[in-house]
Amino acid sequence: MKDLEKTLRALADATRLRIIGILLFQEACVCDMQRVLGLAQPLLSRHLAYLRSAGLIRDRRVGTRIYCSLALEGEVGRALREFLQTIMPHFGPFHEDALRMKAHVERSGWMRRGVSDSAQSENRRSGKEGDNEDQSSSVQL
Amino acid sequence: MKDLEKTLRALADATRLRIIGILLFQEACVCDMQRVLGLAQPLLSRHLAYLRSAGLIRDRRVGTRIYCSLALEGEVGRALREFLQTIMPHFGPFHEDALRMKAHVERSGWMRRGVSDSAQSENRRSGKEGDNEDQSSSVQL
DNA sequence: TACCATCATACGTATATACGAATAATAGGA
DNA sequence: TCCTATTATTCGTATATACGTATGATGGTA
């Protein structure tokens, strides 16, 4: 968690709030977020860079894909997570974004199981679960 | 509490954070804040207007003086208060501002008791206590 | 009414920020 | 190596924002 001012500045933009809203549920890859949020790729990339620079997210690369997750640790991070979990349902686009992401993930899961990338799917299911502590969330739709 | 985006934008400025840091302790008048924070009067006035517009503070006039206090109600407001109480001690100027305000209030109280404005002092002590619920705070120095 | 204290608002300026379009960098497969 | 998918970065532009300076508005007292 970086500088407090930088953190709060990161929250002061609707696009970045939408990104955070998605990540409150679970890790997501940039390409999924791009489609679900309907953002231009460069724009999304820039906002992610900002959030990364502020220490709010971290990422990992799997092949060509970057998976992002929230990085809320320490006292301030925990307080921020709680705060976000309380306020985000009050943020206009939050629910629709969440539904779209859920639908997208289910559709994508189906495609993966049926068509392609089974090796990557195995990779995700068997070996990466332990790394995704940031996925835990108590926000309920 | 107004629009969530506006609220978060209000937090994205160091000067406004300093103002909020002072008000986390208790209601304060504009003139005291101006002196303690060392801000130009028009600047302080503008930032207070922003915070007021965002629904984060409210004020009351007593003669020529405006007293400001935090207005954190409802689910989001309560969450925000908790969040602020946790994070503000991590904000650089917070502690010094608080000490300066404390010293200022003690010095001012002395001057009031000794020299002038005893009617106003009585007014503040006897009749306004019930209105200052927002003064309660558990932030400890 | 004049004067002073307190606070709000207008004007101008420098800087920050968000975004679109274009391009560059990285990874993977044939 | 070439091509494609994914992502990062650059460039230019419009808008927002923070601040200093000057002025206006409100309240109180002599």
Side-chain angles (χ1 to χ4, degrees):
Chain A
M1 181 64 65
K2 293 275 175 70
D3 181 56
L4 183 58
E5 279 176 64
K6 198 161 174 129
T7 295
L8 294 175
R9 274 185 181 277
L11 302 178
D13 174 72
T15 303
R16 288 199 289 276
L17 278 181
R18 292 181 73 196
I19 293 167
I20 287 167
I22 296 288
L23 297 180
L24 262 182
F25 288 96
Q26 65 181 8
E27 184 187 60
C29 79
V30 177
C31 55
D32 282 347
M33 285 195 278
Q34 185 183 333
R35 291 190 192 105
V36 166
L37 298 175
L39 299 173
Q41 182 273 319
L43 180 58
L44 177 58
S45 197
R46 252 192 319 256
H47 279 300
L48 290 174
Y50 195 107
L51 290 169
R52 205 178 293 124
S53 167
L56 290 188
I57 66 171
R58 69 168 68 92
D59 58 30
R60 62 189 179 100
R61 180 181 278 272
V62 182
T64 62
R65 295 180 180 217
I66 305 277
Y67 287 84
C68 300
S69 53
L70 291 180
L72 303 177
E73 292 115 15
E75 188 186 26
V76 171
R78 283 192 297 272
L80 179 54
R81 183 185 291 275
E82 282 185 43
F83 179 57
L84 289 170
Q85 284 167 352
T86 302
I87 67 169
M88 286 305 293
H90 296 266
F91 176 58
F94 176 70
H95 293 288
E96 183 178 340
D97 287 345
L99 287 174
R100 288 167 62 103
M101 189 67 185
K102 186 176 175 182
H104 186 85
V105 167
E106 289 174 348
R107 198 185 320 137
S108 298
W110 177 79
M111 286 182 65
R112 283 208 200 97
R113 207 180 304 130
V115 182
S116 63
D117 243 346
S118 62
Q120 180 153 338
S121 178
E122 291 296 335
N123 195 10
R124 287 201 66 185
R125 289 167 194 271
S126 63
K128 302 293 179 182
E129 299 261 298
D131 293 344
N132 298 324
E133 297 181 359
D134 282 338
Q135 291 189 33
S136 65
S137 165
S138 59
V139 175
Q140 301 180 4
L141 287 190
Chain B
M1 183 63 67
K2 293 274 176 71
D3 181 59
L4 183 58
E5 279 176 65
K6 199 162 173 132
T7 295
L8 293 175
R9 276 186 179 274
L11 302 178
D13 175 72
T15 303
R16 287 198 290 277
L17 278 179
R18 291 180 71 197
I19 293 167
I20 288 166
I22 296 287
L23 298 179
L24 262 181
F25 287 97
Q26 67 182 4
E27 183 187 63
C29 78
V30 177
C31 55
D32 282 346
M33 285 196 279
Q34 183 183 335
R35 291 190 192 105
V36 166
L37 298 175
L39 299 173
Q41 180 274 318
L43 180 57
L44 177 57
S45 199
R46 253 189 320 254
H47 280 301
L48 291 174
Y50 195 109
L51 290 169
R52 205 178 294 125
S53 168
L56 290 185
I57 65 171
R58 67 168 68 90
D59 60 29
R60 61 188 180 100
R61 181 179 276 273
V62 181
T64 63
R65 294 178 181 220
I66 307 273
Y67 288 83
C68 300
S69 53
L70 291 179
L72 304 176
E73 292 115 15
E75 188 186 25
V76 171
R78 283 192 297 273
L80 180 53
R81 183 186 289 278
E82 283 185 45
F83 179 58
L84 289 169
Q85 284 168 351
T86 302
I87 68 169
M88 286 305 293
H90 296 268
F91 175 57
F94 176 69
H95 293 289
E96 182 179 340
D97 286 345
L99 287 174
R100 288 166 61 104
M101 190 65 184
K102 185 175 174 184
H104 186 84
V105 167
E106 288 174 349
R107 198 185 322 136
S108 297
W110 178 79
M111 286 183 64
R112 285 209 199 94
R113 209 180 300 128
V115 181
S116 64
D117 243 345
S118 62
Q120 182 154 335
S121 179
E122 291 295 337
N123 193 9
R124 284 202 67 188
R125 289 168 196 270
S126 63
K128 302 294 180 184
E129 299 260 291
D131 292 344
N132 299 324
E133 298 180 0
D134 283 336
Q135 291 189 35
S136 66
S137 167
S138 58
V139 175
Q140 301 180 5
L141 288 190

